[in-house]
Amino acid sequence: MREFLAGDEGSWTIVYRSGDPCLFAGFAPLSSVPAILGDYNWDVRIASGGPSHCWSSDGEVGYDRSFGDNGVEPIVIVQDHLGCLPQMLPHLLQEFSLYHNLWHADCGTYKKLYDDGTDEVACEVSDSLVRVRTKLLRQFQAAAQVVLVRYVDSLITTASFCDDPVLEHDYKGGDHHLHLSVRGNARTGDWSSLLIGKKLILPPPRPERGERPFGQHEDVVYPEFVVGETAEGKPIKNTCDPDALGNNFGRNPDALNYVTPVYFASDVLDRYYTDPKYDVSDGHLACGGLWSMRLDNNHPDHVMVWLGDLGRDLPERERHHWLAHNIVVPEGAPSQTAFKRHILGEWAEADSPAWRLQQAYERFRARWAATWSWDLLKDPDEGEPGLLASLRVPPREGDTEFCDQVHAIHKLLVESLNTKQLKSELPKGEAGERSISLLERWLADKGHQQPTQDIGFLRKIHDLRGVCAHRPGAKRAKVFHKHSIDDDRQKAIADIFEDAISFLNSLGKIPGPDDSRG
């Protein structure tokens, strides 16, 4: 109760609670403050606040949108179906929810998505309790310039209290109006106290809202990134503030150039590969439609970003993550792909075999479907929509990441083979014939020129996937030796990607039905 009277509950504010004390809250226009404080009774009731009919003094029927008395609109709508239907969870005021673009994550949680792609729980809802992040309430108040009205109704019974049979007292101030009633029961000797009333919290000024368009660019932190080192090995640092950098057209002539390369360890991208809201592609990193940044991720050992892009395109919170992976690359230079694309403005094919494989895979599927009118490689399972995008040359040596990539290749090229269609075009084979054998027979039936090489690649992937699915041991070592997988796991994956590109290109040359008739 002390928190209610103080009007401060820290990070969270309870806007609905059933039981004792019963709490509720609403928004009201500033002009209603005198009328609201003129009475300690609630201006709105729980399970009210929805649209309804109303009658004027002369009996005319009208329509009441959703407000209570004195223009108070409840933040929480509680619906009651009187036991005939299951009880629904309370609803959050739609205007408040839409203003913050809250995402209803599940039946009891709303989330707030920020411009940098991070999110946090904004509201928690249960049958008897709804609480909202205080800062979101205050931001809405500032934007809409409305008063937050918080109501309390608390009944307490005790065995003894005082000698007076009745005690009535009003507590009224500039931001609250409470009424305390204490009554005794002569028959039982019990006493009951009822506290009912309200407290008002005025909106902060709009400039204190802390979000766009108020104060959006204030106090932006542009950290200094390492851009090189002195002859003595000391790091050379420079701000990434794009407005403080020079360019080739005379701006800030004494400052470092906007397109100064900054290098990072390859594992800087790990967190973006494991979170589905991010998209890592050839030369590009994006977080949905919120932000994106060009980069050079065609080098096997590091990632490069232009200094100015770190300040212009990367959200402030993300810069701290990248700063922790900032490295010095002696005599480093952008890849030829990045140089042609970003500096010369030319088209350039990716250097990394992972990006070239992704492109080859998509081209192959499109051309195959156009040629044969069916898909040789089916779509990945619904639970793995980002499987193709997960292909990468691992930033570290070791079996774990190597095996992750082998699993992905196996799913894309072996498990996705359209066995049903292959069987339909072939004479019946042996019982239990697997997908690779089916493809081998189909290729032979079509007169494919190099089935041994292509089928051998798929069997290699199948062998590696089989031992990767189990604990390391002698069998894994034997299979790795058989397929020339040495200690350089990064090179091994790069070679597998190159072989996969060759496999797709080879199958793409098989003449289609129309070509064979000629």
Side-chain angles (χ1 to χ4, degrees), residues 151-172:
Y151 299 96
V152 63
D153 188 327
S154 177
L155 177 65
I156 299 176
T157 301
T158 183
S160 62
F161 184 74
C162 63
D163 297 330
D164 295 332
V166 176
L167 174 63
E168 302 275 352
H169 191 74
D170 272 10
Y171 300 90
K172 186 176 181 181

Side-chain angles (χ1 to χ4, degrees), residues 198-216:
K198 64 194 74 171
K199 176 176 174 58
L200 277 62
I201 301 174
L202 297 177
R206 280 182 174 153
E208 294 182 13
R209 181 178 154 222
E211 290 186 326
R212 187 184 301 158
F214 306 105
Q216 176 70 10

